[in-house]
Amino acid sequence: MPQSTSWIGTILENLGLLQNYATGPKFTERQGRVLLVSRMRWLLLLMTGSYCVVAAGCYLFSSYGFFLDTSQLVILLVAVAAVILYNLIYQFGYDKIVHLPCIDPLQIVLDLLFTTILIHYSGGSASWFWPVYLVVTIESAVVIEKRSGVWILGAVGGAMYGALLFGEASGLLRNLSMPFVDATLYTDHLYLLLKWFWVSLLNAAVSIVAAFLMSIIREENAAAILNEKRLFDFLDRASDLIFHFSPEGKVLYANRAWRKVLGFEEEICDINLLDIVHDDSRDKCLLHVRKAVEGDSLNTLEGRFVARDGRLIDVEGNLTRSVHNHETSLWSVCRDITSRKFAEQRLFHIAHHDALTGLPNRLYFLDQLRQARLVAKRFSHQIVILFLDLDRFKIINDTLGHGVGDQLLQEVAARITASVREIDTVARLGGDEFTVMLTNIKDDGDIEKVARKILQAVGKSVVIEGNELFITTSIGASVYPRDGDDPATLVKHADIAMYQAKQDGRNNWVYFDPSMNLDSDRRLSLETGMRKALERDEFELHYQPTVHAVSGKITAIEALVRWNHPSLGFLYPREFIALAEETGLILQIGEWVLRRACAQNREWQNKGIAPVRMAVNLSGHQLQQTDIVARVKKILAETELDPEYLELEVTETVIMQNPDFTVKVLGQLSDLGIHLAIDDFGTGYSSLAHLKRFQVNTLKMDKSFVRDLEINSTDAAIATAIISMGASLNLQITAEGVETEGQLSFLKEQMCDEIQGFLFSEALSASSVEKVLRVGRLDTKRIVGD
């Protein structure tokens, strides 16, 4: 059973008090004490009556016979009736007589008086009824708050008993002979004195002890009630929704926030938990209630309540079992997360949908493609990716303005959507590029039908703001699993085929063919040369600074590999990294880059340059190595570089290929003190839940979102969302590909942390970077390499 917080534990321990709070007078209140004494008096009368009945029976059948005459019996019955009468008045009519002076001591005096009468008529000095004085004295300690008042009433009791004995001994009162009692005792003054002294002494002792004990009890009870009231007020004023219910679902208590949110402003009554739980959450709720009752541990739960007026309330909280007086009940502390859920859904929609057309964007499309691929793989189905780009759209946009262009894009989006089935997915990747995912495709004939239907629909004229427009599109198609196994590859191949369709004259569609991807001769040359490039020392590193967005201070240097090919010239990573990954040579190249970058950073520090982080890209193949952590530690040891000056960058797509393994590896690297960054963030798909699991320090926003954020509201919205999300997760945000002052101004306004791009500097040689590092900061005057 999960441990609750201290104040919830207090609730569980004081459950009975909370339930009865404000349901009647308390012991610390005057009326509560009077009512308690009234109940005690009924008990005393019942016990006394029971004894009298038994005693009368015994005397009746004894040799003495029933010794009371009619007048004695009448007086005793009248006395008892009088006690019953005023006890009824005190119990049920106290609120009407409470204002009268000395009304509380009066009932004690009456008890003493009628006790004295009953003693006299039950034998006087021989009566066994005198201990009732002690009970009455205890009653006075309960009713009267001041100790002196209790002592006085105790003395009054002793005085009444003394007066009774004196009256009987002096003949003022007629002695009533009692069976089993020596008659000479009624007139033995020494016996009567000792009897009176003993009863008075006991009564005084009881009054002192009872007054002392009751003062302590009263103080402690008052403190407990005060604490209870404070706890009750705290619960009622808490912003969380707190309620208590039985295992059957009956709501026993609900605080003010709960009642207000669900619309039960008045006191709750006859409300069952199932009455307020939404149908979608009911089965899960019942399951968790059963587990909680059985004592199982539960994590934070989410569900949905239905308010009195029908509103849906999303809540998040937990259940705690309480056992009180052998009865099990449950407490729930939850919070209203309706606004948060709405914000999350809104953010999800903004981050995953195109603001102009409402279609899924790249992120959402790739996610849907991943899911569809799993289904297709299981059932051996085909998936078709159609990549569409409008022909000469830029001319219309520039000539008639962005307003017309936007309306045209909306119309094209609607036409494409209408041309496919409901189970297919249409997305806008940005600009005038669209993608379509066709699932459960049986043969190529179906693909051709859909492609031609889209071409026909888009090719129809459209009138916008009085302008009759004609637009066509070029379509490239790739097929899973024939043209690729992962979403990025399928989209890429469809994109390549689309460009081939444009080269073939536009307004048509083309299947992807591997020959479109890379010239076979160039590919063979690269592959052959790459195997010897490391031996010949043909690779070299260039370095691009990352600067603080506001101060311009250099915060990191990113190492970028270049290949000085003997015949093809200077090659950038995009021209050979994919091939290196395909051939497996990326492991050797990646390790060389890491070791060289660490050594270079150590060399700069040895020259007295202020230390900065050296950022190195880690490929997916490297990350999947089981000994990657050991390799990194070894390189750091060999180069004598402190781990805090190494930053490893992993692309979002790579880390999401195997999240569980990645979490473990990144956690180990983070424990070494290495700075971790997610590169190209926004081009893959990672939920907030995943990001919280990864022990990363920085999100590097992909340059595709930065490039058009000045003119593209979608990119601006995504960039803003990424920056806000990073701030909420305490992550640094680095914007890549910043090339204009407008982009920099926007990113500064959105509180982006770091900037990287040609606006400040392109990739530089080691010697050039060394000069920049000695300065320590950069402005927007672009630095060009050697």
Side-chain angles (χ1 to χ4, degrees), residues 433-463:
E433 294 180 339
F434 297 86
T435 53
V436 179
M437 178 177 64
L438 308 175
T439 56
N440 296 336
I441 296 298
K442 297 180 180 179
D443 52 47
D444 291 352
D446 293 336
I447 303 174
E448 182 176 358
K449 289 178 183 178
V450 175
R452 295 196 178 280
K453 188 176 181 180
I454 293 175
L455 290 172
Q456 274 187 336
V458 173
K460 294 179 181 179
S461 65
V462 56
V463 178

mmCIF file of all heavy atoms in Angstrom, residues 433-463:
data_model
loop_
_atom_site.group_PDB
_atom_site.id
_atom_site.type_symbol
_atom_site.label_atom_id
_atom_site.label_comp_id
_atom_site.label_asym_id
_atom_site.label_seq_id
_atom_site.Cartn_x
_atom_site.Cartn_y
_atom_site.Cartn_z
ATOM 1 N N GLU A 433 4.634 21.442 -50.784
ATOM 2 C CA GLU A 433 4.911 20.011 -50.806
ATOM 3 C C GLU A 433 3.887 19.260 -49.950
ATOM 4 O O GLU A 433 3.612 19.632 -48.807
ATOM 5 C CB GLU A 433 6.318 19.717 -50.268
ATOM 6 C CG GLU A 433 7.431 20.265 -51.145
ATOM 7 C CD GLU A 433 8.806 19.964 -50.594
ATOM 8 O OE1 GLU A 433 8.913 19.690 -49.375
ATOM 9 O OE2 GLU A 433 9.782 20.002 -51.362
ATOM 10 N N PHE A 434 3.326 18.206 -50.519
ATOM 11 C CA PHE A 434 2.354 17.356 -49.833
ATOM 12 C C PHE A 434 2.806 15.901 -49.938
ATOM 13 O O PHE A 434 3.521 15.522 -50.881
ATOM 14 C CB PHE A 434 0.966 17.490 -50.458
ATOM 15 C CG PHE A 434 0.368 18.867 -50.345
ATOM 16 C CD1 PHE A 434 0.653 19.843 -51.285
ATOM 17 C CD2 PHE A 434 -0.482 19.176 -49.303
ATOM 18 C CE1 PHE A 434 0.114 21.113 -51.186
ATOM 19 C CE2 PHE A 434 -1.031 20.444 -49.195
ATOM 20 C CZ PHE A 434 -0.738 21.411 -50.135
ATOM 21 N N THR A 435 2.382 15.102 -48.984
ATOM 22 C CA THR A 435 2.617 13.659 -49.050
ATOM 23 C C THR A 435 1.311 12.922 -48.791
ATOM 24 O O THR A 435 0.432 13.416 -48.085
ATOM 25 C CB THR A 435 3.659 13.191 -48.010
ATOM 26 O OG1 THR A 435 3.266 13.649 -46.730
ATOM 27 C CG2 THR A 435 5.042 13.678 -48.345
ATOM 28 N N VAL A 436 1.207 11.735 -49.387
ATOM 29 C CA VAL A 436 0.037 10.884 -49.199
ATOM 30 C C VAL A 436 0.530 9.487 -48.852
ATOM 31 O O VAL A 436 1.450 8.969 -49.509
ATOM 32 C CB VAL A 436 -0.845 10.835 -50.459
ATOM 33 C CG1 VAL A 436 -2.042 9.913 -50.234
ATOM 34 C CG2 VAL A 436 -1.301 12.225 -50.866
ATOM 35 N N MET A 437 -0.042 8.887 -47.831
ATOM 36 C CA MET A 437 0.275 7.506 -47.474
ATOM 37 C C MET A 437 -0.934 6.638 -47.797
ATOM 38 O O MET A 437 -2.018 6.850 -47.245
ATOM 39 C CB MET A 437 0.625 7.387 -45.991
ATOM 40 C CG MET A 437 0.926 5.937 -45.551
ATOM 41 S SD MET A 437 1.435 5.797 -43.817
ATOM 42 C CE MET A 437 -0.054 6.342 -42.981
ATOM 43 N N LEU A 438 -0.755 5.690 -48.698
ATOM 44 C CA LEU A 438 -1.808 4.758 -49.092
ATOM 45 C C LEU A 438 -1.533 3.409 -48.429
ATOM 46 O O LEU A 438 -0.439 2.853 -48.591
ATOM 47 C CB LEU A 438 -1.850 4.597 -50.612
ATOM 48 C CG LEU A 438 -1.938 5.887 -51.453
ATOM 49 C CD1 LEU A 438 -1.857 5.561 -52.940
ATOM 50 C CD2 LEU A 438 -3.226 6.628 -51.140
ATOM 51 N N THR A 439 -2.492 2.890 -47.696
ATOM 52 C CA THR A 439 -2.307 1.615 -46.996
ATOM 53 C C THR A 439 -3.170 0.531 -47.649
ATOM 54 O O THR A 439 -4.135 0.815 -48.363
ATOM 55 C CB THR A 439 -2.691 1.752 -45.520
ATOM 56 O OG1 THR A 439 -4.033 2.231 -45.428
ATOM 57 C CG2 THR A 439 -1.766 2.730 -44.810
ATOM 58 N N ASN A 440 -2.806 -0.716 -47.376
ATOM 59 C CA ASN A 440 -3.547 -1.882 -47.890
ATOM 60 C C ASN A 440 -3.674 -1.856 -49.418
ATOM 61 O O ASN A 440 -4.732 -2.128 -49.971
ATOM 62 C CB ASN A 440 -4.941 -1.954 -47.261
ATOM 63 C CG ASN A 440 -4.881 -2.173 -45.761
ATOM 64 O OD1 ASN A 440 -3.902 -2.694 -45.232
ATOM 65 N ND2 ASN A 440 -5.923 -1.746 -45.073
ATOM 66 N N ILE A 441 -2.592 -1.490 -50.078
ATOM 67 C CA ILE A 441 -2.578 -1.471 -51.543
ATOM 68 C C ILE A 441 -2.238 -2.874 -52.055
ATOM 69 O O ILE A 441 -1.256 -3.491 -51.620
ATOM 70 C CB ILE A 441 -1.546 -0.452 -52.060
ATOM 71 C CG1 ILE A 441 -1.963 0.959 -51.635
ATOM 72 C CG2 ILE A 441 -1.427 -0.535 -53.571
ATOM 73 C CD1 ILE A 441 -3.283 1.405 -52.193
ATOM 74 N N LYS A 442 -3.056 -3.369 -52.975
ATOM 75 C CA LYS A 442 -2.882 -4.744 -53.456
ATOM 76 C C LYS A 442 -1.888 -4.841 -54.607
ATOM 77 O O LYS A 442 -1.074 -5.745 -54.662
ATOM 78 C CB LYS A 442 -4.231 -5.312 -53.881
ATOM 79 C CG LYS A 442 -5.231 -5.426 -52.721
ATOM 80 C CD LYS A 442 -6.553 -5.997 -53.200
ATOM 81 C CE LYS A 442 -7.557 -6.103 -52.042
ATOM 82 N NZ LYS A 442 -8.869 -6.636 -52.492
ATOM 83 N N ASP A 443 -1.979 -3.923 -55.582
ATOM 84 C CA ASP A 443 -1.090 -4.018 -56.745
ATOM 85 C C ASP A 443 -0.807 -2.622 -57.297
ATOM 86 O O ASP A 443 -1.378 -1.612 -56.853
ATOM 87 C CB ASP A 443 -1.703 -4.912 -57.836
ATOM 88 C CG ASP A 443 -3.123 -4.497 -58.196
ATOM 89 O OD1 ASP A 443 -3.362 -3.282 -58.412
ATOM 90 O OD2 ASP A 443 -4.000 -5.380 -58.254
ATOM 91 N N ASP A 444 0.082 -2.573 -58.279
ATOM 92 C CA ASP A 444 0.480 -1.291 -58.869
ATOM 93 C C ASP A 444 -0.660 -0.607 -59.600
ATOM 94 O O ASP A 444 -0.662 0.624 -59.751
ATOM 95 C CB ASP A 444 1.648 -1.507 -59.835
ATOM 96 C CG ASP A 444 2.926 -1.897 -59.098
ATOM 97 O OD1 ASP A 444 2.918 -1.833 -57.849
ATOM 98 O OD2 ASP A 444 3.912 -2.262 -59.763
ATOM 99 N N GLY A 445 -1.656 -1.367 -60.014
ATOM 100 C CA GLY A 445 -2.790 -0.758 -60.705
ATOM 101 C C GLY A 445 -3.557 0.190 -59.795
ATOM 102 O O GLY A 445 -4.018 1.258 -60.232
ATOM 103 N N ASP A 446 -3.680 -0.176 -58.522
ATOM 104 C CA ASP A 446 -4.354 0.704 -57.558
ATOM 105 C C ASP A 446 -3.566 1.986 -57.348
ATOM 106 O O ASP A 446 -4.136 3.083 -57.194
ATOM 107 C CB ASP A 446 -4.533 -0.017 -56.219
ATOM 108 C CG ASP A 446 -5.508 -1.180 -56.318
ATOM 109 O OD1 ASP A 446 -6.352 -1.154 -57.235
ATOM 110 O OD2 ASP A 446 -5.426 -2.112 -55.480
ATOM 111 N N ILE A 447 -2.243 1.883 -57.319
ATOM 112 C CA ILE A 447 -1.397 3.068 -57.141
ATOM 113 C C ILE A 447 -1.598 4.033 -58.305
ATOM 114 O O ILE A 447 -1.772 5.243 -58.125
ATOM 115 C CB ILE A 447 0.087 2.667 -57.031
ATOM 116 C CG1 ILE A 447 0.291 1.679 -55.881
ATOM 117 C CG2 ILE A 447 0.966 3.894 -56.853
ATOM 118 C CD1 ILE A 447 1.693 1.113 -55.799
ATOM 119 N N GLU A 448 -1.606 3.484 -59.494
ATOM 120 C CA GLU A 448 -1.759 4.326 -60.695
ATOM 121 C C GLU A 448 -3.116 5.033 -60.694
ATOM 122 O O GLU A 448 -3.226 6.211 -61.037
ATOM 123 C CB GLU A 448 -1.607 3.472 -61.952
ATOM 124 C CG GLU A 448 -1.709 4.286 -63.247
ATOM 125 C CD GLU A 448 -1.449 3.439 -64.469
ATOM 126 O OE1 GLU A 448 -1.147 2.239 -64.318
ATOM 127 O OE2 GLU A 448 -1.551 3.994 -65.588
ATOM 128 N N LYS A 449 -4.173 4.318 -60.272
ATOM 129 C CA LYS A 449 -5.507 4.937 -60.234
ATOM 130 C C LYS A 449 -5.534 6.140 -59.297
ATOM 131 O O LYS A 449 -6.067 7.202 -59.626
ATOM 132 C CB LYS A 449 -6.543 3.912 -59.784
ATOM 133 C CG LYS A 449 -6.840 2.826 -60.803
ATOM 134 C CD LYS A 449 -7.850 1.829 -60.248
ATOM 135 C CE LYS A 449 -8.108 0.698 -61.243
ATOM 136 N NZ LYS A 449 -9.058 -0.317 -60.681
ATOM 137 N N VAL A 450 -4.964 5.963 -58.112
ATOM 138 C CA VAL A 450 -4.966 7.063 -57.137
ATOM 139 C C VAL A 450 -4.136 8.225 -57.632
ATOM 140 O O VAL A 450 -4.549 9.401 -57.538
ATOM 141 C CB VAL A 450 -4.449 6.567 -55.770
ATOM 142 C CG1 VAL A 450 -4.335 7.733 -54.785
ATOM 143 C CG2 VAL A 450 -5.356 5.489 -55.211
ATOM 144 N N ALA A 451 -2.945 7.934 -58.199
ATOM 145 C CA ALA A 451 -2.071 9.006 -58.675
ATOM 146 C C ALA A 451 -2.751 9.809 -59.781
ATOM 147 O O ALA A 451 -2.718 11.049 -59.788
ATOM 148 C CB ALA A 451 -0.753 8.411 -59.163
ATOM 149 N N ARG A 452 -3.385 9.133 -60.704
ATOM 150 C CA ARG A 452 -4.048 9.849 -61.808
ATOM 151 C C ARG A 452 -5.271 10.606 -61.300
ATOM 152 O O ARG A 452 -5.588 11.691 -61.807
ATOM 153 C CB ARG A 452 -4.440 8.860 -62.902
ATOM 154 C CG ARG A 452 -3.237 8.204 -63.562
ATOM 155 C CD ARG A 452 -3.588 7.545 -64.880
ATOM 156 N NE ARG A 452 -2.418 6.970 -65.510
ATOM 157 C CZ ARG A 452 -1.513 7.670 -66.205
ATOM 158 N NH1 ARG A 452 -1.647 8.973 -66.334
ATOM 159 N NH2 ARG A 452 -0.486 7.055 -66.762
ATOM 160 N N LYS A 453 -5.950 10.068 -60.334
ATOM 161 C CA LYS A 453 -7.115 10.764 -59.762
ATOM 162 C C LYS A 453 -6.668 12.072 -59.109
ATOM 163 O O LYS A 453 -7.338 13.113 -59.242
ATOM 164 C CB LYS A 453 -7.792 9.854 -58.733
ATOM 165 C CG LYS A 453 -9.118 10.392 -58.201
ATOM 166 C CD LYS A 453 -9.773 9.385 -57.262
ATOM 167 C CE LYS A 453 -11.109 9.917 -56.746
ATOM 168 N NZ LYS A 453 -11.763 8.939 -55.833
ATOM 169 N N ILE A 454 -5.528 12.024 -58.401
ATOM 170 C CA ILE A 454 -5.014 13.249 -57.772
ATOM 171 C C ILE A 454 -4.594 14.247 -58.834
ATOM 172 O O ILE A 454 -4.888 15.455 -58.735
ATOM 173 C CB ILE A 454 -3.835 12.910 -56.841
ATOM 174 C CG1 ILE A 454 -4.327 12.089 -55.640
ATOM 175 C CG2 ILE A 454 -3.135 14.176 -56.362
ATOM 176 C CD1 ILE A 454 -3.213 11.603 -54.738
ATOM 177 N N LEU A 455 -3.895 13.776 -59.878
ATOM 178 C CA LEU A 455 -3.467 14.683 -60.952
ATOM 179 C C LEU A 455 -4.668 15.376 -61.592
ATOM 180 O O LEU A 455 -4.634 16.575 -61.888
ATOM 181 C CB LEU A 455 -2.676 13.906 -62.016
ATOM 182 C CG LEU A 455 -1.286 13.405 -61.604
ATOM 183 C CD1 LEU A 455 -0.708 12.491 -62.687
ATOM 184 C CD2 LEU A 455 -0.348 14.583 -61.367
ATOM 185 N N GLN A 456 -5.727 14.622 -61.803
ATOM 186 C CA GLN A 456 -6.940 15.185 -62.409
ATOM 187 C C GLN A 456 -7.600 16.205 -61.496
ATOM 188 O O GLN A 456 -8.004 17.292 -61.921
ATOM 189 C CB GLN A 456 -7.957 14.080 -62.718
ATOM 190 C CG GLN A 456 -7.731 13.414 -64.062
ATOM 191 C CD GLN A 456 -8.869 12.442 -64.396
ATOM 192 O OE1 GLN A 456 -9.553 11.950 -63.498
ATOM 193 N NE2 GLN A 456 -9.064 12.172 -65.660
ATOM 194 N N ALA A 457 -7.721 15.849 -60.216
ATOM 195 C CA ALA A 457 -8.394 16.744 -59.270
ATOM 196 C C ALA A 457 -7.628 18.049 -59.105
ATOM 197 O O ALA A 457 -8.211 19.143 -59.111
ATOM 198 C CB ALA A 457 -8.555 16.046 -57.918
ATOM 199 N N VAL A 458 -6.311 17.959 -58.953
ATOM 200 C CA VAL A 458 -5.511 19.174 -58.767
ATOM 201 C C VAL A 458 -5.493 20.007 -60.047
ATOM 202 O O VAL A 458 -5.497 21.247 -60.000
ATOM 203 C CB VAL A 458 -4.079 18.805 -58.336
ATOM 204 C CG1 VAL A 458 -3.183 20.036 -58.291
ATOM 205 C CG2 VAL A 458 -4.093 18.096 -56.979
ATOM 206 N N GLY A 459 -5.509 19.340 -61.199
ATOM 207 C CA GLY A 459 -5.394 20.051 -62.469
ATOM 208 C C GLY A 459 -6.621 20.851 -62.873
ATOM 209 O O GLY A 459 -6.566 21.652 -63.812
ATOM 210 N N LYS A 460 -7.743 20.668 -62.192
ATOM 211 C CA LYS A 460 -8.942 21.446 -62.533
ATOM 212 C C LYS A 460 -8.760 22.905 -62.139
ATOM 213 O O LYS A 460 -8.087 23.223 -61.167
ATOM 214 C CB LYS A 460 -10.171 20.860 -61.829
ATOM 215 C CG LYS A 460 -10.554 19.467 -62.312
ATOM 216 C CD LYS A 460 -11.771 18.941 -61.550
ATOM 217 C CE LYS A 460 -12.152 17.536 -62.012
ATOM 218 N NZ LYS A 460 -13.317 16.998 -61.263
ATOM 219 N N SER A 461 -9.365 23.760 -62.918
ATOM 220 C CA SER A 461 -9.230 25.192 -62.651
ATOM 221 C C SER A 461 -9.889 25.547 -61.321
ATOM 222 O O SER A 461 -10.805 24.876 -60.853
ATOM 223 C CB SER A 461 -9.856 26.011 -63.774
ATOM 224 O OG SER A 461 -11.269 25.791 -63.810
ATOM 225 N N VAL A 462 -9.415 26.645 -60.748
ATOM 226 C CA VAL A 462 -9.962 27.144 -59.490
ATOM 227 C C VAL A 462 -10.000 28.671 -59.563
ATOM 228 O O VAL A 462 -9.091 29.301 -60.107
ATOM 229 C CB VAL A 462 -9.108 26.676 -58.295
ATOM 230 C CG1 VAL A 462 -7.658 27.084 -58.448
ATOM 231 C CG2 VAL A 462 -9.690 27.204 -57.004
ATOM 232 N N VAL A 463 -11.075 29.251 -59.068
ATOM 233 C CA VAL A 463 -11.226 30.701 -59.086
ATOM 234 C C VAL A 463 -11.019 31.214 -57.665
ATOM 235 O O VAL A 463 -11.729 30.835 -56.740
ATOM 236 C CB VAL A 463 -12.613 31.112 -59.601
ATOM 237 C CG1 VAL A 463 -12.771 32.638 -59.557
ATOM 238 C CG2 VAL A 463 -12.819 30.585 -61.024
#
